[in-house]
Amino acid sequence: MELSHRFRIWGFTILLIFQSAYGFYLPGSYPHKYAVGNELWVKVNSLTSIDTEIPFSYYSLPFCEPPNGIKDSAENLGELLMGDRIENSPYRFKMHTNESEIFLCKSGPLDADRLNLLKKRIDEMYQVNLILDNLPAIRYTKKEGFLLRWTGYPVGIKVKDVYYVFNHLKFKVLVHKYEEPNVARVMGTGDGAEVIPTVAKADSDVPGWIIVGFEVIPCSFMHNADAVKKLNMYDKYPTAIKCDPTTVAMAVDDKKPIIFSYEVEFEESDIKWPSRWDAYLKMEGSKVHWFSILNSLMVITFLAGIVLVIFLRTVRRDLTRYEELDKEAQAQMNEELSGWKLVVGDVFRAPDHPALLCIMVGDGVQILGMAVVTILFAALGFMSPASRGTLITGMLFFYMILGIAAGYVAVRLWRTIGCGDKTGWVSVSWKVSCFFPGIAFLILTTLNFLLWGSHSTGAIPFSLFVILILLWFCISVPLTLIGGYLGAKAPHIEFPVRTNQIPREIPAQKYPSWLLVLGAGTLPFGTLFIELFFIMSSIWMGRVYYVFGFLFIVLILLVVVCAEVSLVLTYMHLCVEDWKWWWKSFFASGSVAIYIFLYSINYLVFDLKSLSGPVSATLYLGYSLFMVIAIMLATGTVGFLSSFWFVHYLFSSVKLD
């Protein structure tokens, strides 16, 4: 009886969890119910362009301002770092109430500076980004029989050397009848309905609606300036306004004002709350996306399997032959044969610049851990496109927390290379906490000066700079020092063989070893170059990236391939009596960053052809360099740690005098 009771409790608990998923769609996100006639206010984000990649404030152009003044919306750290500046707007709707010919405002006469700025933004193809109930405005266009989806709408258009502005907006708001979540209804009748009561809210009997879609059609309409002289904001325009997106009429001219108006239509939709983001996540060429990634995964897995099988058979054969010989035969074999067995007295000799190696490995562990945890949480839905800025905020949080792991790995590796000597662990921990963040700070500060000079909203505010520095020195650095302390207390890894006092001479090689190191990065690059295209398109082309589940699989596969490539290359170097494997194992897998940077340049030349101006190109290359350094540290760390384990295991498996 007791077992049956526990089973029922667990069953109810699981069903409650499923009910939560049914009601929320995203962790921390819940539908907002509006009654008929409730006011809805549209918000505006920064103006963006794929031609410049430099965002600007919405109110930098002569648009209508809200009656109560411009107010910034509360934003998280990630939104600010991404250049989002969400502000209120004068666009006001009433739930489930259609309105037309609504006069908004009449701008002042355009002086030469404002006119030139407006024309420049039209030339640079800037988009206006509106938001209603956390949904970006979406625009549909037809081209060659295909329906294209866009977020936002263009500021204006240039036709035969004449500039036109879109001054009338036709909104369509899709709404769905609100359904109160009811656990008993989902579970059915019987004991379940009696045990778990439904939660009744005070306003649950009031019919309500939720917003499931937000569409906009921009139009250029020539208003009568005399007809609006006595109109106030939200008054009805005296004549009918025909919104035809295929024609333009409102040309911008010097000393001429612009009149803005809008209309809104509400339409009941079958789309439910959990599906309201589907329209934004439908990417063109989605089948190519899925099949390309699947094909890449299969090919790389097949190649990695072949490499691993050949590699294991070769090493196992060498070990078997070596262990079957007696001591005299082993001595004779050492004299007559060349190979990894001859570098036993040098294989664990300390590398050049050991502190730098420890620092880079520590930072690599921190970056790799951050990537794995962040992408995993994103794949589970905690960092979806509906939650703006949470991806960047989560990355910063996990990076700071994983400072403990960085300090621990770096100091323990430092002690291992020094055969247990604890001297200098504080210095190593401090340098780990400052190495990659220092590089990032230098790159971002340089790029920020360019954005400040352009008066862009993408520039990080000075107050945010102070916050980031405080997070760095008050959280990240102390956690890294704590990790270093734990690494200093942990036992160091003892080498299985002794190191000779005199280094062994490395025989002359037929080909430079760095050629192998550079070529080794091609295989890891093959695992991610297709996914890289979609990530780059998401960052620079304004598309929504959402397949974090596939990205997580690609990341795991990348780690496996980096480890295998580095193992094979290390074994090849040891076979030709090259015992300097430490740095080569790091850059064997880390060299994938070179190919990613070359791919970034290729993407700039062939996919971002319209990118205009040296400032935009510098921003692109600067952010690409920042990304590439992070990838080099993460992939290099995977290669080094796997090679270190392999070399330690290999020389522990053979008994040598």
Side-chain angles (χ1 to χ4, degrees), residues 149-163:
R149 305 173 185 85
W150 309 86
T151 52
Y153 67 91
V155 172
I157 191 172
K158 182 180 179 182
V159 180
K160 296 181 180 180
D161 296 330
V162 179
Y163 292 87

Side-chain angles (χ1 to χ4, degrees), residues 32-43 67-68 89-97 99 131-133 173 175 209 211 233-234 262 264 266:
H32 191 162
K33 183 178 78 170
Y34 298 95
V36 175
N38 280 4
E39 285 190 348
L40 308 173
W41 290 92
V42 176
K43 295 181 179 181
N68 297 326
S89 82
Y91 293 103
R92 181 195 67 184
F93 309 150
K94 295 179 181 178
M95 172 55 77
H96 224 302
T97 306
E99 297 177 282
I131 303 169
L132 178 65
D133 195 43
V173 181
V175 295
W209 302 87
I211 298 172
M233 186 177 286
Y234 307 123
Y262 70 98
V264 59
F266 286 83

